[in-house]
Amino acid sequence: MNFGGVIEEVMTREEFPLEKAREILKDETIAVLGYGVQGPGQSCNLRDNGFNVIVGQRQGKTFEKAIADGWVPGETLFSIEEAAKKGTIVMCLLSDAAVMSVWPVIQKCLEPGNALYFSHGFAITWNDRTGCVPQKDIDVIMVAPKGSGTSLRTMFLEGRGLNASYAVYQDATGKALDRTLALGIGIGSGYLFETTFQREATSDLTGERGSLMGAIQGLLLAQYEVLRENGHSPSEAFNETVEELTQSLMPLFAAKGMDWMYANCSTTAQRGALDWYPRFHDAIKPVMQKLYDSVKTGVEAQISIDANSKPDYRDGLEKELAMLRESEMWRTAEVVRQLRPENN
């Protein structure tokens, strides 16, 4: 497929139908470890698509959530160790921090010919730091949905698919690629594009810290603050910064591209955007390059590992998230959402 002049191979559901995926995995027991972010969406989609799936999760609130979603203790819901022992494909969907702590348990459960599956390249890419070094007699594969597990499930129920990347790190059986693509189709991917564990981990950490989360919060906050400091009301500042972006403009360029969105705005907006985007690009690109270098060299991975290793990390995280939640911009967001027509 031609992506802006670059030819790239992709796999669609037309080329790799669900029936083919079922045939490839008909004798496999798929053990999904972790029922947090990606676990619910991937396991439920696989189950609904007719695959043999079990879930491994520690006791607690998340275990109870799995029960509420229809997983049955002792039949399709087990401890992490029990599920890993039963699975021929072990889908490791635990958080990066949890993977490191549980890895010795998982590793001893893996038998020759099994497949170890990830949805993030972190643990393998930086295994000199995580300690996750798989044995040579198993397949090590990845399907990484380009969105949250919640989106994966919601889009599946709507009859749509969330795009995903895939990679084979280790092919011990000669069937690693077929297993990977079958799982990608089974979890409900829109289309699948090839990557490596290293490229996925590097692009993912860059994206999260950049345009997907970190940079977007920084950009929105900077504009909101400038408007407020110059006498604009919270409602006006928020609408011009966030509400118009998310509710009006993003759907336009998501549907048909930035040029189409520009073409459907006023001539004043067009002229200003065309004049100013190069200035933002020139200001931001050095920061983005610094971010990428920090990710590629493992600095960001180590920061994450160190932070998640602190016993009080969750308490500190809650305080940081509370600061975001209680900031004027996002408190204004609560009021604006309530005033949307669909809520009245």
Side-chain angles (χ1 to χ4, degrees):
M1 196 161 289
N2 192 323
F3 290 88
V6 178
I7 303 300
E8 186 177 340
E9 296 252 348
V10 301
M11 184 65 66
T12 69
R13 285 183 272 187
E14 287 72 33
E15 297 164 304
F16 202 107
L18 185 57
E19 293 74 20
K20 181 178 179 179
R22 289 193 187 116
E23 178 63 25
I24 289 170
L25 302 180
K26 65 181 180 180
D27 297 322
E28 305 272 17
T29 297
I30 303 168
V32 176
L33 308 186
Y35 209 73
V37 177
Q38 283 290 337
Q42 294 199 36
S43 61
C44 289
N45 289 1
L46 284 164
R47 180 182 64 186
D48 290 356
N49 270 333
F51 296 90
N52 180 26
V53 189
I54 60 175
V55 170
Q57 175 59 42
R58 296 187 185 98
Q59 291 282 343
K61 288 183 179 179
T62 308
F63 193 88
E64 297 302 317
K65 181 182 184 302
I67 293 174
D69 286 346
W71 303 99
V72 181
E75 295 181 18
T76 55
L77 178 59
F78 304 91
S79 70
I80 288 173
E81 184 172 1
E82 286 178 295
K85 286 179 179 177
K86 292 177 181 293
T88 57
I89 296 175
V90 176
M91 297 177 66
C92 190
L93 300 183
L94 300 154
S95 69
D96 295 325
V99 172
M100 288 186 288
S101 65
V102 181
W103 173 246
V105 173
I106 297 172
Q107 187 175 34
K108 73 179 183 181
C109 297
L110 296 169
E111 297 182 358
N114 284 176
L116 177 63
Y117 166 111
F118 293 91
S119 280
H120 187 21
F122 188 104
I124 296 295
T125 298
W126 293 292
N127 60 17
D128 58 328
R129 302 165 189 263
T130 66
C132 298
V133 181
Q135 49 267 54
K136 296 295 183 182
D137 56 6
I138 64 170
D139 294 342
V140 182
I141 61 180
M142 176 177 66
V143 177
K146 297 299 104 182
S148 71
T150 301
S151 299
L152 182 73
R153 182 62 175 164
T154 300
M155 293 173 74
F156 175 85
L157 293 173
E158 293 172 349
R160 300 187 294 143
L162 186 64
N163 298 333
S165 60
Y166 72 90
V168 173
Y169 178 80
Q170 188 168 282
D171 183 4
T173 66
K175 57 182 182 179
L177 179 59
D178 278 348
R179 278 171 148 176
T180 305
L181 294 174
L183 288 164
I185 296 301
I187 66 171
S189 300
Y191 74 81
L192 293 150
F193 60 94
E194 190 174 9
T195 187
T196 66
F197 274 64
Q198 189 273 337
R199 291 208 312 266
E200 190 283 333
T202 306
S203 60
D204 191 73
L205 265 67
T206 300
E208 291 165 348
R209 285 150 180 75
S211 65
L212 301 179
M213 294 175 68
I216 194 68
Q217 165 64 14
L219 172 64
L220 296 177
L221 182 60
Q223 178 170 306
Y224 181 87
E225 287 177 342
V226 167
L227 289 171
R228 290 288 289 121
E229 289 161 5
N230 283 278
H232 299 269
S233 71
S235 181
E236 184 171 51
F238 185 84
N239 272 278
E240 293 293 350
T241 300
V242 180
E243 191 74 352
E244 187 173 351
L245 171 67
T246 60
Q247 302 304 300
S248 175
L249 300 183
M250 286 181 72
L252 294 181
F253 68 77
K256 295 189 177 180
M258 191 67 75
D259 61 317
W260 192 81
M261 186 266 278
Y262 277 27
N264 284 273
C265 292
S266 71
T267 55
T268 303
Q270 289 170 4
R271 184 69 268 141
L274 289 167
D275 288 347
W276 275 90
Y277 92 73
R279 304 180 200 184
F280 279 105
H281 169 270
D282 293 348
I284 292 167
K285 190 169 181 181
V287 179
M288 197 62 70
Q289 185 63 56
K290 186 175 181 180
L291 163 59
Y292 186 82
D293 292 343
S294 186
V295 171
K296 190 173 182 179
T297 56
V299 172
E300 293 300 311
Q302 193 62 52
I303 290 171
S304 180
I305 291 168
D306 291 344
N308 281 283
S309 299
K310 294 178 180 177
D312 61 347
Y313 174 68
R314 285 287 166 189
D315 292 337
L317 175 64
E318 285 303 318
K319 290 178 182 176
E320 289 181 285
L321 293 177
M323 286 177 62
L324 270 181
R325 185 171 59 251
E326 296 303 320
S327 67
E328 184 187 277
M329 184 168 74
W330 293 115
R331 280 169 49 218
T332 300
E334 294 177 9
V335 179
V336 171
R337 285 195 295 270
Q338 292 170 5
L339 293 171
R340 288 176 186 164
E342 65 267 24
N343 296 326
N344 291 291

